[in-house]
Amino acid sequence: MTRRVHPVDVTADLTLTIDGQPIAVESYTDTVLVDLPSIGAARAVARSGLRRADRLDRLLHDLDVTVVFRIDGTPVARMGAAARPGPVARIAPIEPDARGILRTALAAPIRALS
């Protein structure tokens, strides 16, 4: 079965709050940037959305949209049309960015001391 793609561009500039943490969402193209303020906020989002991740991924593919998750401005994962999940797809349909995850993990203790 061939899936039909209905490409869209997303225009967004908003802030959500999950567990008291502000999450910035912005986009002006087919790439949506979700900027999480901390690793803890990323865990909270992952826990709350893991059950719906497959459904969201199918929708993103159908719309030809990619979501880039960032922690404090550093890209750590992608989901949707441009993502290539690889082996991690058994857990969630995301493509982790190993360099971004390492950079964020190393920077977290430094930010905590600031």
Side-chain angles (χ1 to χ4, degrees):
M1 179 169 115
T2 303
R3 295 181 70 161
R4 294 179 53 191
V5 176
H6 306 282
V8 299
D9 281 341
V10 178
T11 301
D13 189 7
L14 61 113
T15 302
L16 307 169
T17 302
I18 296 180
D19 290 343
Q21 302 236 19
I23 298 168
V25 178
E26 77 175 85
S27 177
Y28 303 100
T29 63
D30 60 350
T31 301
V32 177
L33 303 173
V34 177
D35 201 1
L36 305 154
S38 66
I39 294 171
R43 277 195 303 260
V45 168
R47 277 194 307 268
S48 69
L50 204 51
R51 290 186 309 267
R52 296 179 294 273
D54 287 328
R55 213 166 49 203
L56 174 60
D57 187 58
R58 283 192 301 274
L59 176 63
L60 292 170
H61 275 89
D62 288 347
L63 298 175
D64 197 29
V65 171
T66 302
V67 175
V68 175
F69 296 96
R70 304 184 305 186
I71 296 177
D72 199 26
T74 301
V76 294
R78 292 193 302 174
M79 175 184 225
R84 303 294 171 253
V88 78
R90 291 176 298 166
I91 301 167
I94 62 166
E95 175 187 356
D97 181 331
R99 286 186 300 217
I101 293 169
L102 180 60
R103 190 176 308 125
T104 299
L106 292 173
I110 296 167
R111 278 195 299 271
L113 295 174
S114 301

